[in-house]
Amino acid sequence: PIVQFRTLRGDGAAALEMFLDRGLIPGTGRDKFLVEYLRQVQTDRRARVVQRVGWHGEGDTAVYVLPEKTYGAAPGEVWLFEPEGPRLNPFKTRGTLADWRVEVAQLCSGNSRLLFACSVAFAAPLVHLTGAENGGVNLIGSSGIGKTTVLRVGASVCGAPDYLERLRATDNGLEQTFMGKCDAPAFLDEMGQLGPQVAGEAVYMAANGQAKARATRTGGMRERGSWRTLFLLSAEVSLAGHMAEAGKVPKAGQQTRLADVSVDAGAGLGAFENLHLYASGHEFAQALARACSSQYGTAYAGFVSRLMHERGPRLLDHLREQIRRFERKHLSDAAEGQARRVAARFGLIGAAGELARVWLELPWQEGEAMQAAGSLFAVWLTTRGGEGNQEERAMLAQVRDFLTRHGEARFTDWDRPASDTDARGPRVINRAGFRRITYETSAKPPEDQQTEFMIFPSVWTSEVCKGFDPGIVARLLAKRGALKVSEDGRPARSLTLPGEGKRRVYNILPTVWAGEQ
């Protein structure tokens, strides 16, 4: 076992536990002699002990540590992986790289989702080098469409079938999962097993790359665990659909960190486009499952080994240029920052797949990995509704939804106030404000009807803008010409309301519906 000096403090119980776990049982009363020996033993060998896998060190001297091997270490330099928890090794290898090329990689050619999953695996160790953000992709599809097969193929790049994990875990369990996959990909199946109450927070945690703050036994603050990763999930519904089961609405930041993409490739074959002479998608998936059970891990080992020789300014310039080209190809100059962040992630994934094709001599066509990343990004962009700001779109949709649901029930007609007994309208319960109907022509046809709303500030803050900053929502509507502000520029203007005198209200104009699809 690896015996760190700190385990010899006091009676050395921590060090003794390691020996006992490995079968060494000192005689009764002789524990102290073993501890004393360990304290006095002298050795010229030194090793650096780390508690997580991935990149350690800086610049050209940085190393990449895996449980059983360290890449890039200088001669005589020893790095040892010794986590706080169980010492697991998901990065197992079996077979040869040549066999993985034939039995797995060759079947990925012509299948965008399979190529993308492999490319995610190759992109993960590049996140730190390029300064890219953590993030993930959620493959959505019904049961039996091939989601798990896609993840299984991506996981075979790195390790055995158990490299693919189920998302049935607590927050603490997910932290350990990502700590064990730092600077490596995480493949997680069935987001539906993760409670809808915590799904959004789990996405934030995974993408932010930092565990919860915890105290030590003495009350001090323990060093936070951290990680860098790209993760590929599967689910039957989108993140928004999953969170809706708990009555929650995802933030734009959550949907940016986890991009929802349909796993259906659109060729009538589920997640596949090319069955490579297999009779059906089921047979093709079975062939992939068998191959991934017998050939795995060698591609990742080969990629990281080559990366240690190729890393440097030239490689970084190449990757960044590939990402810029990807953005220019798939986004316009008017694209918002959220779309660009996701495009950068997909661009890095595509570029990593192209590197792996060259470095590992994979049987893929030139540009095929980048094309796969582009096709999935296009699906995400279409599903999202374009390259605009998702949060602004959500704000506008929420305002429109409130007016649609409550426009008649909770707003008093301006021309039929409750104080006018001769023209009294229906009694309004839980009133939100007033509405005023106007017509473009004197003929007053229904199609010319326009309605503006005067919303009380308390309702505006607590209901209309629930979950958003009311001031930001007001500025957005004012910018779109859908909110009439006061003369001094304040979002709430003072109006004389029928039967109530002067009050400040948020005056929503009919143009709030402009551009609605």
Side-chain angles (χ1 to χ4, degrees), residues 272-389:
F272 315 124
E273 293 127 296
N274 184 347
L275 300 183
H276 291 269
L277 302 180
Y278 283 90
S280 66
H282 177 68
E283 289 188 15
F284 183 60
Q286 286 187 320
L288 284 168
R290 289 193 298 271
C292 293
S293 297
S294 60
Q295 303 295 331
Y296 50 77
T298 52
Y300 197 72
F303 184 83
V304 173
S305 179
R306 180 68 180 268
L307 177 60
M308 305 311 295
H309 295 287
E310 301 289 345
R311 60 178 170 166
R314 184 176 178 181
L315 175 62
L316 293 183
D317 289 344
H318 168 76
L319 291 171
R320 289 167 181 161
E321 177 58 27
Q322 292 300 307
I323 294 171
R324 284 192 292 267
R325 288 183 181 180
F326 186 91
E327 290 186 24
R328 287 196 297 267
K329 181 176 180 179
H330 295 281
L331 294 174
S332 70
D333 293 339
E336 296 284 350
Q338 294 168 354
R340 294 193 179 280
R341 289 170 64 186
V342 178
R345 185 185 315 149
F346 278 71
L348 176 62
I349 291 170
E354 293 299 323
L355 278 183
R357 178 187 64 82
V358 175
W359 289 356
L360 305 181
E361 299 179 355
L362 301 181
W364 301 344
Q365 297 296 317
E366 182 178 357
E368 195 174 9
M370 187 65 82
Q371 184 178 355
S375 66
L376 268 72
F377 179 75
V379 171
W380 173 81
L381 201 61
T382 300
T383 304
R384 179 180 186 267
E387 58 187 23
N389 187 293

Side-chain angles (χ1 to χ4, degrees), residues 196 199-201 238-251 254:
E201 288 74 11
S238 65
L239 175 64
H242 188 50
M243 292 178 63
E245 295 177 16
K248 294 191 173 186
V249 178
K251 303 292 186 184
Q254 291 168 325

Side-chain angles (χ1 to χ4, degrees), residues 82-99:
E82 189 69 16
E84 286 188 357
R87 193 176 188 279
L88 304 177
N89 178 25
F91 299 89
K92 304 181 185 75
T93 61
R94 183 177 179 182
T96 66
L97 177 57
D99 288 336

